[in-house]
Amino acid sequence: MQLFIADLHLQEDRPEMTQGFLRFLATEARRADALYILGDFFNVWVGDDGMEPYHHQLAAAMQALSDHGTKIYLMHGNRDFTIGSRFCALAGCQLLGDLERIDTDSPDPILLQHGDLLCTDDIGYQRLRRFFRQPVINFILRNLPLSWRQRIGRTTRQASKSKTRTKPVRIIDVNQQAVEQVMLEHQVRRMIHGHTHRPQVHHFLLTATEPAQAAERWVLGDWNDQQGWLIRKQGSHLSLESFQFQDL
């Protein structure tokens, strides 16, 4: 069994959220062969050298899960794209690329991604994303003084929240043409992503193929202080589920 989660936005001043995730690691996740975290695991990440006791606590819990036998895979989101090898080593997890095709125990491979690359109508965001993901810019960011990066992180998040509130839903949601294009490029008919915070299963046709092929897009929900979302995969069957932390 594989579990997929995204958009936890973990931060120290959300203790209920943190405790819920720790209970998830100690219960539900231990029954899985693999756990995939598809981005925005942390609300903000300024670099592995900025880890505090809070982050070490989470890393230790993830390492315990890995030692138990559950493989952990972590993908960058738009809020934590500077997570690096140091954190992954402490947490016992493997870092994935922005687009990751997995061949599981079922006939159809699945394409995993955070989801922000699909929001192509948000031109301003995509421009900013390309800028920050440039190797030179990323190198400069990683080597700025920690206090500067912390200030930049706070400012960027506040600005992002303000802009998101004023943008139409169609702008900040995925573009269907982008969805179909990336699925065709990676030769998949199933995709899992997060980012949009709109949990749902979308069924559609890939009309560029001959004949047209049925396809699925599975969208994860974001976690809050009482509830989490996951996609469970058992054999070829996928299920989108929400759960209460108190029930774990």
Side-chain angles (χ1 to χ4, degrees):
M1 178 179 71
Q2 295 86 38
L3 299 178
F4 304 85
I5 61 177
D7 301 295
L8 281 70
H9 306 293
L10 290 171
Q11 55 191 41
E12 191 169 8
D13 61 0
R14 295 179 65 189
E16 294 86 358
M17 170 76 245
T18 300
Q19 290 305 313
F21 175 64
L22 292 175
R23 286 198 296 275
F24 170 79
L25 292 182
T27 55
E28 189 70 30
R30 289 204 165 209
R31 294 188 278 272
D33 300 309
L35 172 65
Y36 292 85
I37 306 172
L38 305 184
D40 281 0
F41 181 45
F42 290 103
N43 198 47
V44 65
W45 190 263
V46 297
D48 290 5
D49 59 334
M51 290 179 64
E52 299 179 351
Y54 170 75
H55 305 107
H56 284 279
Q57 175 193 16
L58 292 171
M62 293 171 69
Q63 182 66 68
L65 176 64
S66 178
D67 291 342
H68 177 74
T70 300
K71 295 181 180 179
I72 307 174
Y73 301 94
L74 178 65
M75 180 176 285
H76 286 147
N78 54 298
R79 301 190 182 202
D80 53 14
F81 64 90
T82 55
I83 291 178
S85 57
R86 180 182 173 189
F87 173 80
C88 290
L90 290 171
C93 63
Q94 178 181 333
L95 195 62
L96 299 176
D98 287 341
L99 291 164
E100 200 77 30
R101 172 178 152 149
I102 60 170
D103 296 300
T104 59
D105 54 356
S106 61
D108 292 325
I110 299 175
L111 184 65
L112 308 177
Q113 61 176 304
H114 176 54
D116 56 337
L117 280 171
L118 300 172
C119 301
T120 55
D121 293 326
D122 193 345
I123 297 173
Y125 169 77
Q126 294 298 335
R127 186 182 298 118
L128 192 64
R129 186 188 191 280
R130 287 193 297 271
F131 174 78
F132 279 115
R133 298 299 182 96
Q134 293 180 63
V136 173
I137 300 300
N138 210 300
F139 175 81
I140 293 173
L141 283 174
R142 290 176 186 271
N143 287 275
L144 287 173
L146 179 59
S147 61
W148 290 22
R149 281 178 275 143
Q150 291 171 332
R151 189 179 304 115
I152 291 172
R154 289 192 298 268
T155 303
T156 302
R157 291 315 318 151
Q158 290 169 356
S160 176
K161 287 181 181 179
S162 299
K163 289 182 179 179
T164 300
R165 293 192 193 102
T166 62
K167 290 179 180 178
V169 172
R170 66 176 182 81
I171 296 295
I172 59 178
D173 204 353
V174 304
N175 177 285
Q176 182 62 23
Q177 184 177 353
V179 169
E180 296 184 26
Q181 180 179 343
V182 75
M183 293 182 79
L184 289 169
E185 288 175 355
H186 291 268
Q187 299 182 325
V188 297
R189 294 184 300 163
R190 292 199 290 180
M191 174 193 293
I192 299 175
H193 71 82
H195 180 65
T196 62
H197 302 179
R198 295 183 175 90
Q200 193 173 343
V201 184
H202 300 267
H203 300 274
F204 55 95
L205 291 176
L206 294 173
T207 55
T209 62
E210 185 60 45
Q213 297 182 10
E216 301 172 354
R217 178 168 64 89
W218 292 71
V219 187
L220 284 157
D222 60 317
W223 291 32
N224 57 46
D225 290 346
Q226 290 83 35
Q227 176 183 270
W229 284 88
L230 62 82
I231 290 173
R232 186 190 310 272
K233 183 177 184 302
Q234 292 179 296
S236 61
H237 179 69
L238 295 177
S239 59
L240 176 64
E241 307 170 17
S242 64
F243 58 94
Q244 299 293 318
F245 297 145
Q246 63 185 16
D247 296 331
L248 292 175

